Amino acid sequence: MKRISEFEVFVPAEVGMKVDATLFISDKIRLEEDALNQLKDACKIPTVKKVLATPDIHIGYGVPIGCVVAAEEVIIPAAVGYDINCGMRVLKTNLYAGDIETAELAKSIRRDIPLGEGKENIRLTREEFECVLEEGVKGLYKIRRKDHFVWDFLEKEDIKNVLPLIEDCGSMKGDASAVSARAKERGQNQLGTLGGGNHFIEIQEVVSVKDKKTAGEWGIFEGQMLIMIHSGSRGLGHQIGEDYMSLAKSKNYGEPHPSRELCYIPLNEKEGEEYVKAMHSGANSAFANRHIMSLLVKKNLLFYYPNAEINLLYDVPHNIAKLEEHFGKKMWVHRKGATRAFPGKRMVQTIFEKTGQPVLIPGSMGSFSYLLVGKNENEKSLCSTNHGAGRRMSRTQAAGKIRHRDGKVLKEGAISDEEFRKSMEGITLICENKHTIKEEAPQAYKDIDEVIRVVEGANLAAVVAKMRPLAVLKG
DNA sequence: ATGTGC
């Protein structure tokens, strides 16, 4: 390994690696040895073209979270991850956060959005759900029901104005026939649910605007109340990941796979094509899930503030693979815990042509979040940046008691209740599971300000505005 | 991440 600059480390190809790797990381950020090994494994995929890590890198399944893997001719389910199209969405309002009873609003939102694992909300028929799997948010608009107010909200929305505010217009080329019945069963009634783990809904205040011009174009101002949503494809995406990762493992596709966890599928095989269709279906479901949640948030805001305006700023996936052209070559760019950060020149004929795409980066619960924009100089990261702060402690390390088989507690979590309480002072916290919430403590994550310093220093993206949390809803 | 695992 060789440090090239304050923000960049070069990992030369070792035996078995087809390409070098690049890490966008500073000395202040600890790099787990296993995460580096997983990154090296990704470099062993036969047709891999580029592998890089963002400063939020940490251990994942097969491939680290916080990395980009670009390859030709193969698709790599583990480089997308289990939560297909997990992503961020920001809703902007015309309100000053200081004028709003944010704790009350958060409590009210909770009544409409189930938090935590295994929850269901909007019930669909199999046919309706398949329509969402194939067309995403566009498919949602085709559903005509009357049994929930979200359908009335959808009917009133102008699809032409909404779809361009979602990456891929909230609709990838899905195919319900590539999704197992089990996956559909798990996901069919889960639209409009948050999920668990690091998923959240946060009411935030814009504390500073760094790029006034871009912020102005986007309708962002100091003191503004924003609502940030982080969620994914729930049980559906997880089952799709499981189905295709076990399929990939069971097959022998030529050269040995880099690790037991890291399998790839050639795209000239039927299974490779099928995974892409299933992945798109999972992505569509996640887009629809975040869209439904936005409407549920909107209803609650309008209940308290009938004259309020609330509009989508943007919706970005951070667990997805896409066919993109880089360095004159078309390749499958897998972003796992990484966000596309297209500059304006890659957003031609969209409303973000002038500014570049909005990049939505949450900090950990209780810390700042950031709104950024893609930079012209970020081709070296395949126009990608990080997706968040990134874990620095495992879940069990943070809060979980590591138990011996006989039930005796061997080791207490690294974060005390007192420490946790202090880090959340002044923030309304609404959570489903008080026993696991410390897994998401700010102390369990890297320092978001340092991560963002690397992102800007390495020219991956530029800060437009910074937000602080006022109220947070968690699983 | 996940109706969270032998």
Side-chain angles (χ1 to χ4, degrees), chain A residues 46-61:
Chain A
T47 59
V48 72
K49 289 287 166 284
K50 193 148 178 79
V51 174
L52 61 103
T54 48
D56 51 349
I57 181 174
H58 59 105
I59 300 167
Y61 181 84

Side-chain angles (χ1 to χ4, degrees), chain A residues 139-370:
Chain A
L140 265 189
Y141 284 93
K142 292 187 178 168
I143 299 172
R144 291 277 175 253
R145 292 184 76 112
K146 289 284 171 206
D147 57 349
H148 195 288
F149 64 82
V150 291
W151 308 115
D152 303 325
F153 270 68
L154 269 170
E155 239 182 288
K156 281 180 214 137
E157 271 198 331
D158 188 352
I159 182 168
K160 287 195 305 300
N161 294 333
V162 176
L163 297 188
L165 300 172
I166 308 174
E167 208 171 290
D168 298 292
C169 291
S171 179
M172 300 185 93
K173 277 186 188 141
D175 184 345
S177 70
V179 178
S180 69
R182 193 170 179 204
K184 288 175 195 168
E185 272 154 33
R186 286 181 68 175
Q188 190 164 326
N189 298 323
Q190 285 196 315
L191 293 188
T193 63
L194 183 71
N198 60 4
H199 291 166
F200 66 82
I201 296 172
E202 207 164 84
I203 302 174
Q204 303 174 339
E205 175 181 25
V206 177
V207 286
S208 64
V209 168
K210 193 174 172 190
D211 176 351
K212 295 218 156 47
K213 195 162 166 263
T214 304
E217 293 277 346
W218 294 351
I220 299 300
F221 54 88
E222 271 174 29
Q224 184 178 21
M225 183 177 83
L226 302 180
I227 292 160
M228 193 177 244
I229 299 173
H230 178 207
S231 188
S233 49
R234 313 284 291 100
L236 173 96
H238 190 268
Q239 190 61 46
I240 293 171
E242 206 174 301
D243 290 342
Y244 282 91
M245 279 188 238
S246 71
L247 177 74
K249 276 178 209 174
S250 71
K251 301 267 178 177
N252 183 9
Y253 294 120
E255 291 190 54
H257 293 293
S259 76
R260 193 185 60 82
E261 292 181 354
L262 177 50
C263 302
Y264 55 84
I265 315 177
L267 281 160
N268 60 9
E269 300 278 349
K270 180 175 101 269
E271 291 82 358
E273 255 177 59
E274 299 254 292
Y275 174 72
V276 170
K277 289 176 189 168
M279 175 188 73
H280 286 162
S281 306
N284 285 339
S285 170
F287 282 135
N289 185 30
R290 293 195 287 273
H291 199 69
I292 295 268
M293 278 192 276
S294 302
L295 299 173
L296 298 172
V297 165
K298 181 176 177 174
K299 174 248 188 179
N300 282 282
L301 182 72
L302 293 181
F303 176 77
Y304 290 99
Y305 307 94
N307 298 320
E309 280 173 32
I310 179 164
N311 289 300
L312 179 54
L313 171 66
Y314 204 47
D315 180 307
V316 295
H318 51 227
N319 278 2
I320 195 76
K322 299 201 220 192
L323 188 60
E324 290 175 8
E325 191 173 315
H326 295 277
F327 309 109
K329 246 185 215 154
K330 283 223 170 188
M331 44 183 118
W332 278 92
V333 180
H334 302 69
R335 294 189 179 89
K336 184 183 189 184
T339 311
R340 194 190 76 174
F342 276 2
K345 63 184 175 189
R346 280 196 181 248
M347 297 295 284
V348 284
Q349 288 179 349
T350 79
I351 47 174
F352 298 113
E353 179 167 7
K354 211 162 131 193
T355 56
Q357 73 158 96
V359 175
L360 317 173
I361 307 295
S364 61
M365 175 172 73
S367 68
F368 293 113
S369 288
Y370 289 86

Side-chain angles (χ1 to χ4, degrees), chain A residues 7 23-26 29-30 53-58 66 385-386 388-390 446 450-455 460:
Chain A
F7 310 111
L23 291 127
F24 296 100
I25 198 167
S26 69
I29 299 173
R30 195 179 70 86
T54 48
D56 51 349
I57 181 174
H58 59 105
T385 189
N386 65 316
K446 301 186 209 294
E450 177 62 13
V451 167
I452 294 294
R453 195 179 74 87
V454 174
V455 163
L460 307 185

Side-chain angles (χ1 to χ4, degrees), chain A residues 405-453:
Chain A
R405 264 190 293 267
D406 62 12
K408 244 191 271 170
V409 175
L410 292 178
K411 196 181 163 192
E412 293 287 338
I415 302 163
S416 70
D417 291 347
E418 177 61 16
E419 257 182 296
F420 177 63
R421 196 189 54 74
K422 236 179 137 184
S423 64
M424 293 299 291
E425 237 162 30
I427 302 165
T428 305
L429 173 63
I430 294 175
C431 72
E432 183 71 11
N433 190 340
K434 288 192 167 55
H435 303 291
T436 55
I437 191 68
K438 272 198 290 179
E439 296 177 0
E440 293 300 317
Q443 296 89 338
Y445 282 84
K446 301 186 209 294
D447 175 3
I448 186 66
D449 297 313
E450 177 62 13
V451 167
I452 294 294
R453 195 179 74 87

